[in-house]
Amino acid sequence: MNQKYKLLKNNNQIIIHPVRGKEVRVYRVYALVDFDTVYGTVKANTTGGFIQSESNLPQTDASWVFHQGCVFDDAILIDSAVTGTAQVFGNAILRETLITDQARIFGTTNLDD
């Protein structure tokens, strides 16, 4: 299976969990191929936003985290995009959704088209 991104283990940051107040380490994503998202085209060799683990961002669909966006905990993107400084966390599952600006999506949110 071809991967669309890799985690930049040396490009990470610690954020404070907005609900639990604990530290969470997140890693910047780096695009390996060109692909289209609901927000726009991702070009190979560009950096994106941050995720906690590869379980947050599938390798096989059109999801991406742009800018300083962040996806962590058990949150999952499915053909979705996160931009700006938006955060998606908890057990949130996004399908074909664009989350922008300073939005926070969390809990057991299940956003379907």
Side-chain angles (χ1 to χ4, degrees):
M1 173 180 81
N2 291 337
Q3 293 190 323
K4 71 178 179 188
Y5 73 90
K6 68 179 180 178
L7 292 181
L8 298 177
K9 294 289 187 173
N10 62 345
N11 189 339
N12 62 80
Q13 62 183 10
I14 300 290
I15 61 170
I16 302 301
H17 195 287
V19 174
R20 296 187 196 115
K22 305 261 183 185
E23 291 183 348
V24 177
R25 183 175 301 275
V26 292
Y27 302 90
R28 190 169 293 280
V29 292
Y30 179 82
L32 300 173
V33 297
D34 294 353
F35 61 96
D36 292 323
T37 74
V38 296
Y39 182 71
T41 300
V42 174
K43 295 290 188 185
N45 303 314
T46 60
T47 56
F50 294 89
I51 61 174
Q52 185 176 8
S53 75
E54 288 192 31
S55 63
N56 302 125
L57 183 63
Q59 292 280 2
T60 57
D61 71 357
S63 294
W64 191 244
V65 182
F66 293 86
H67 310 116
Q68 295 297 311
C70 191
V71 181
F72 55 101
D73 288 342
D74 294 322
I76 301 170
L77 302 183
I78 301 169
D79 292 320
S80 296
V82 176
T83 72
T85 59
Q87 294 182 333
V88 179
F89 57 99
N91 295 317
I93 300 171
L94 304 183
R95 288 183 182 87
E96 299 177 7
T97 303
L98 173 61
I99 303 300
T100 63
D101 302 322
Q102 298 173 352
R104 287 187 175 172
I105 306 297
F106 61 97
T108 55
T109 306
N110 189 340
L111 292 181
D112 249 324
D113 218 17

